[in-house]
């Protein structure tokens, strides 16, 4: 054997109680044996000292599609115990892409992914054109965690329809092109087909993401093309139009699993996600495999009024997305614009990030030292103090600071009683880290550690072995990933050694390390003592960590 991790409390990923004081032996990248007192026989020995060992976390909702071309480590996910990432969620992908469409593809991503266009232009290595070439390029460069990729609807549409992708439905010819590419991608090893119909998903200048323009015929055709060989998961971030019964009618009869995102608890529509989960339960009773993708993290976003993502799902905000600098400031000062935003906020809406809850938006960082006393106070409070309308107060304050004020909005998923019920629902799958996207707004790459530390240990909403299953064996089953997500002989040695007493994620901080020096938010992992990918240590190994190189694999074959 190459490696034996001795004396660990082993959670095997299947959901059962842990085996205390067990040894796990690894050979050739796979788990060779699990048991008591495995003989060393020259293997490297790691004494776990009673710490917990589990399969590495499978993060099924990430957006590393661009980052993976300049950062094969997929930072910060491996540090948070993630050994397999699925990219291409919501269909926000960069392959296929012809050279002349690269800028259009990047501009689509910049708004929705919260990544500066400069970072994307400086960072993306365009050494591919087709989807199979994209997977080959990842393999050639190497990657630290394992990665599986969806064929994504937005890049696909831009490829087939150019600029018209954000304007209209597809013609027969365009649809035939897309259909053939989906089939080609599935043969090359895509994990499924991903799309989005969500109203907050906008590209540069507020144009809708291409997939939002697809009609029913297009969605039906592409989901069918995915499933031709009896494989693939259909992943979708839904909007108003695409409720669960509609999705079930559209795609459920194809027999492939459907992963429905993003089920986040909205206090102004408190039963909304539960109604979705009930509709999913009903479809499952009829024999269809639907899952509701839920998050165990409160959705908080840091933003400035120069790029106010939380407000961008409001129709009245659309003109602001087209403007920058002095023109944007002039619009934000305009009384007519403000009245339109207020009028829309007064109308309740089910699918909307921000619903006028001004006590949930706070000033986080002022630009002018004189305004320091406003920090960490809510807009509701600050506006009430001077008798101003909260929208007027926020916009006037931001304008007085040249739109540099950093605000934090607690948008969704902050009611812990409701979230606790969602993440323990039988029809739900806990994911939605969005790692690699929304980089200036939040960082939930550590969602798995948060599930184990906050929800399982601190709040006790589920036993730790269930949390481990939720992050490992369960997503492996849902996404048909073979030989991963369990600690058992024959499985790949993707492992996470952690301390159950301290596991969790630290506070967020800003870091200016994207290409071109653009900022992103990151969090530190707590209680992680070691991470192995395919038997090689990538975290916690000290100096020889770099010797591990890029042990991850591009996963290309999936079960039926
Ligand atoms: Zn997403």
């Amino acid at each position: 054997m190459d490696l034996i991790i001795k004396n660990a409390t082993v959670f095997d990923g299947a959901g059962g109680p842990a085996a205390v004081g067990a040894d796990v032996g690894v050979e050739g990248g796979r788990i060779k044996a699990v048991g008591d007192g495995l003989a060393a026989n020259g293997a490297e020995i790691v004494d776990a000292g009673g710490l917990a060992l589990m399969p590495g976390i499978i993060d099924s909702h990430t957006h590393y599609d661009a980052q993976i071309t300049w950062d094969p480590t997929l930072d910060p996910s491996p540090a948070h115990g993630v050994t397999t990432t699925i990219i291409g969620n919501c269909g926000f992908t960069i392959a296929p892409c012809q050279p002349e469409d690269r800028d259009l593809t990047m501009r689509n991503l910049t708004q929705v992914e919260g990544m500066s266009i400069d970072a994307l232009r400086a960072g993306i290595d365009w050494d591919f054109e087709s989807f199979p070439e994209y997977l080959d390029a990842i393999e050639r460069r190497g990657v630290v965690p394992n990665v599986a990729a969806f064929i994504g609807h937005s890049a696909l549409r831009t490829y087939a329809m150019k600029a018209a992708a954000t304007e209209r439905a597809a013609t027969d010819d365009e649809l035939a092109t897309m259909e053939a590419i989906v089939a080609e991608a599935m043969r090359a090893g895509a994990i499924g087909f991903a799309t989005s119909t969500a109203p907050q998903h906008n590209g540069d200048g507020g144009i809708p993401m291409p997939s939002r323009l697809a009609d029913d015929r297009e969605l039906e055709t592409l989901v069918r093309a995915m499933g031709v060989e009896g494989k693939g998961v259909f992943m979708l971030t839904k909007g108003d139009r695409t409720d669960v019964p509609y999705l079930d009618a559209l795609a459920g009869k194809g027999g492939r699993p459907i992963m429905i995102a993003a089920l986040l608890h909205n206090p102004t529509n408190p039963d909304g996600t539960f109604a979705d989960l009930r509709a999913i339960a009903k479809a499952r009773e009829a024999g269809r495999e639907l899952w509701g993708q839920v998050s165990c993290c409160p959705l908080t976003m840091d933003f400035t009024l120069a790029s106010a993502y939380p407000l961008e799902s409001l129709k009245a905000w659309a003109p602001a997305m087209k403007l920058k600098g002095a023109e944007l400031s002039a619009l934000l000062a305009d009384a007519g614009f403000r009245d339109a935003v207020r009028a829309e906020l007064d109308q309740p809406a089910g699918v909307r990030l921000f619903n006028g809850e001004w006590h949930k938006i706070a000033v986080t960082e002022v630009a002018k030292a004189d305004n320091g006393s406003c920090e960490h106070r809510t807009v509701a409070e600050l506006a009430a103090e001077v008798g101003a309308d909260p929208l007027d107060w926020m916009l006037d304050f931001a304008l007085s600071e040249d739109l540099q004020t950093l605000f934090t909005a607690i948008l969704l998923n902050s009611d812990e009683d409701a979230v606790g019920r969602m993440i323990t629902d039988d029809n739900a799958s806990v994911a939605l880290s969005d790692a690699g996207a929304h980089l200036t707004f939040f960082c939930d790459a550590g969602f798995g550690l948060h599930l184990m530390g906050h929800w399982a240990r601190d709040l006790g909403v589920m036993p730790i072995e269930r949390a481990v299953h939720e992050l490992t064996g369960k997503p492996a089953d849902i996404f048909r990933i073979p030989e991963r997500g369990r600690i058992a002989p024959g499985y790949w040695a993707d492992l996470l050694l952690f301390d159950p007493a301290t596991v969790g994620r630290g506070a967020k901080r800003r870091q200016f390390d994207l290409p071109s020096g653009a900022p992103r938010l990151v969090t530190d992992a707590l209680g992680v003592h070691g991470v192995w990918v395919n038997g090689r240590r990538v975290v916690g190994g000290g100096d020889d960590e770099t010797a591990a190189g890029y042990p991850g694999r591009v996963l290309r074959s999936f079960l039926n």
Side-chain angles (χ1 to χ4, degrees), residues 33-58:
V34 183
D36 275 345
L38 298 181
N41 285 340
E44 179 200 347
I45 303 291
V46 171
D47 185 357
L51 290 173
L53 189 70
M54 64 181 271
I57 293 167
I58 296 174

Side-chain angles (χ1 to χ4, degrees), residues 59-63 89-90 235 237 260-264 292-297 299 413 422 429-435 442 444-445 447:
D59 186 345
S60 66
H61 193 125
T62 79
H63 292 281
N89 277 277
C90 315
M235 182 277 154
T237 295
I260 302 168
L263 305 192
L264 296 162
Q293 199 168 56
V294 300
S295 168
C296 66
C297 303
L299 183 61
N413 249 31
M422 284 163 55
S429 170
V430 178
L432 279 181
S433 79
D434 269 334
F442 62 83
D444 287 343
F447 81 103

Side-chain angles (χ1 to χ4, degrees), residues 178-240:
M178 290 192 259
E179 191 180 359
I181 293 174
V182 169
E184 173 196 55
M186 292 306 293
R187 285 193 299 272
I191 196 167
F193 169 70
T195 188
S196 163
T197 56
Q200 71 270 26
H201 285 161
N202 298 297
D204 185 41
I207 47 170
M209 285 304 279
S211 59
R212 291 177 51 199
L213 279 294
D215 55 17
D216 294 356
R217 175 183 78 135
E218 180 175 332
L219 281 174
E220 250 179 81
T221 305
L222 298 180
V223 175
R224 200 177 337 107
M226 172 196 83
V228 163
E229 314 264 340
K231 295 197 175 178
V233 175
F234 172 43
M235 182 277 154
L236 165 132
T237 295
K238 74 184 181 72
D240 292 312

